[in-house]
Amino acid sequence: MILVTGSAGFIGANFVLDWFLQHDEAVVSLDKLTYAGNLENLASLKDDPRHVLVQGDIGDSALLNKLLALHRPRAIVNFAAESHVDRSIHGPEDFIQTNIVGTFHLLEAVRAYWGGLTAQEKTDFRFLHVSTDEVYGSLSPSDPAFTEEHSYQPNSPYSASKAASDHLVRAYHHTYGLPVLTTNCSNNYGPYHFPEKLIPLLIVNSLAGKNLPVYGDGQQIRDWLYVTDHCAAIRCVLQKGRAGETYNIGGWNEKANLEIVHTVCALLDEFRPRDDGLSYKSQIVFVADRPGHDRRYAIDASKIARELGWKPAETFDSGIRKTVQWYLDNQGWVSNVQSGNYRQWVEKNYTGRS
Ligand code: NAD
Ligand code: TYD
């Protein structure tokens, strides 16, 4: 079996759901169930004997030791993190605690467990750390896309905390020989994406008749990847990746934020036209920029294509259509995640911004 952390969040949940569509190997999920962790994402696995969900913190060494001894996983996939840049600007401490200190405790527990395995089990074992392209910093329009050799230049408390965790993972390989893999992926989108992030926020706000807040001039560029393509890439790295290596994952799909906003509006105009016949574009509002806002991310995903044979299955056109449709079909999920907690965040981040 494998142990997956952060599996009640956006990518983790997609990964676990997708895992069971491919094969029957059991999964133990460990998730703290923060505001971003949602049991509803894994509801379809409630009575599935292949899956166990444990509520807990990756920083809880005693719990980790117990889980590892009990379940004896052949691999760990570490998604658990605080993941939202704007939240890291308002309050960095949770990011330091989970992304850096939590990853450290997880690595320590895994190192002790791995040390007790047989020689063959040790060789076969993998610790896969899921990271982000944001650790590489920001590109100018003419710069080549990030390769795995690009220096680390994180600019936000979020990306700095992810960079620190990547360095710890690397050090545990070089110092202790732990067979680690690190993946650095670009922006994901798709089902179960928490509506604090751009694409789900646009869909949810459009349908609620609210403003569509565009930071600054809206010309910042992100490289978008449909979430199940990310999940497939992680499975591929887990299966075929060389221990100690880093793999960039991306969709070869750079788009300015304003283009994303226009695309989402056009799809909603098609699928669910407004009663007054106006386009959802009429809800766009330019608001104060994010402090230290990275201008451009772009991933060069040639290494994973060349060495492991992975490439994305979805185009942006197919992925974004599925995504918008999913949110239209899952309005119950949307209203359940918009708790008091969510409303407080929206007030904190957007009040006084326009
Ligand atoms: P998310 O915020 O939706 O989910 C994070 C999950 O981790 C939640 O279920 C949360 O409850 C859990 N968690 C948080 N702190 C924990 C702790 N201390 N112990 C155990 N569980 C904890 O995030 P996501 O978008 O699914 O991202 C998952 C991973 O992928 C993160 O490591 C993130 O840095 C990375 N990543 C995300 C993107 C993206 O576009 N979303 C892109 C590249 C990499
Ligand atoms: P986000 O989804 O938060 O991902 P990240 O910051 O990790 O790339 O934001 C994507 C882009 O959209 C980023 O350039 C910030 C911008 N953005 C807005 O313009 N308005 C918003 O309300 C949000 C949440 C993001």
Side-chain angles (χ1 to χ4, degrees):
M1 55 81 63
I2 64 167
L3 174 69
V4 180
T5 72
S7 37
F10 164 46
I11 309 175
N14 276 286
F15 178 82
V16 173
L17 294 172
D18 222 33
W19 180 264
F20 291 127
L21 296 179
Q22 318 297 325
H23 44 66
D24 288 330
E25 186 178 9
V27 173
V28 171
S29 284
L30 173 65
D31 198 294
K32 189 177 175 182
L33 298 179
T34 67
Y35 78 92
N38 184 353
L39 283 179
E40 212 181 321
N41 299 352
L42 298 171
S44 62
L45 300 176
K46 198 166 161 281
D47 299 315
D48 194 317
R50 298 170 300 178
H51 184 242
V52 178
L53 178 86
V54 178
Q55 181 173 4
D57 195 318
I58 57 165
D60 183 342
S61 308
L63 174 65
L64 290 169
N65 293 339
K66 208 169 87 185
L67 284 178
L68 291 168
L70 180 68
H71 296 290
R72 301 188 54 78
R74 68 162 178 97
I76 317 280
V77 183
N78 182 33
F79 290 98
E82 290 293 334
S83 68
H84 188 32
V85 174
D86 291 316
R87 284 188 192 254
S88 83
I89 294 169
H90 285 282
E93 190 161 353
D94 286 347
F95 290 73
I96 306 305
Q97 210 50 48
T98 283
N99 300 2
I100 306 179
V101 181
T103 304
F104 160 70
H105 286 299
L106 178 61
L107 281 166
E108 274 294 89
V110 171
R111 178 166 78 91
Y113 164 70
W114 176 75
L117 298 178
T118 65
Q120 189 59 50
E121 286 169 337
K122 269 177 141 169
T123 310
D124 294 343
F125 185 81
R126 292 290 180 271
F127 179 94
L128 192 153
H129 180 61
V130 180
S131 191
T132 164
D133 58 358
E134 305 196 21
V135 298
Y136 296 126
S138 183
L139 295 168
S140 71
S142 58
D143 284 337
F146 301 125
T147 66
E148 289 79 1
E149 274 68 51
H150 196 283
S151 60
Y152 270 41
Q153 297 168 15
N155 290 321
S156 71
Y158 164 65
S159 54
S161 66
K162 290 297 290 186
S165 66
D166 293 7
H167 289 322
L168 283 170
V169 170
R170 175 190 160 89
Y172 272 63
H173 177 68
H174 282 265
T175 306
Y176 304 114
L178 191 69
V180 306
L181 298 156
T182 300
T183 54
N184 293 87
C185 188
S186 60
N187 284 60
N188 285 214
Y189 66 100
Y192 305 109
H193 205 180
F194 195 77
E196 63 185 355
K197 307 279 170 62
L198 180 67
I199 289 180
L201 184 92
L202 292 172
I203 303 171
V204 165
N205 279 15
S206 293
L207 295 173
K210 294 186 179 155
N211 288 345
L212 307 181
V214 176
Y215 295 168
D217 63 3
Q219 293 308 315
Q220 303 81 6
I221 291 170
R222 299 292 182 265
D223 184 352
W224 295 92
L225 181 70
Y226 192 64
V227 63
T228 51
D229 276 328
H230 187 189
C231 298
I234 291 172
R235 287 196 305 273
C236 177
V237 172
L238 194 58
Q239 195 191 343
K240 297 192 261 182
R242 284 179 291 133
E245 289 289 314
T246 291
Y247 297 91
N248 282 356
I249 303 170
W252 300 102
N253 185 58
E254 292 181 53
K255 297 219 180 284
N257 291 341
L258 202 54
E259 191 184 341
I260 297 288
V261 181
H262 286 165
T263 303
V264 169
C265 289
L267 284 171
L268 285 169
D269 288 340
E270 179 189 332
F271 293 161
R272 183 71 59 88
R274 279 173 41 141
D275 292 340
D276 60 7
L278 288 176
S279 167
Y280 287 97
K281 285 182 192 160
S282 60
Q283 292 169 226
I284 296 173
V285 174
F286 288 87
V287 300
D289 209 350
R290 172 188 280 174
H293 198 171
D294 284 338
R295 200 69 189 161
R296 174 177 167 237
Y297 304 138
I299 277 282
D300 180 336
S302 353
K303 177 178 172 183
I304 187 171
R306 192 177 58 245
E307 293 189 11
L308 309 184
W310 174 86
K311 61 177 176 27
E314 298 286 344
T315 63
F316 187 70
D317 285 350
S318 64
I320 194 72
R321 283 187 90 82
K322 281 189 191 177
T323 304
V324 171
Q325 192 61 57
W326 187 88
Y327 280 85
L328 287 171
D329 294 344
N330 289 277
Q331 291 290 302
W333 182 90
V334 172
S335 45
N336 287 347
V337 298
Q338 290 176 312
S339 63
N341 211 328
Y342 176 78
R343 284 197 293 277
Q344 277 160 25
W345 163 251
V346 169
E347 212 174 295
K348 191 175 190 178
N349 195 40
Y350 295 99
T351 304
R353 202 162 189 146
S354 47

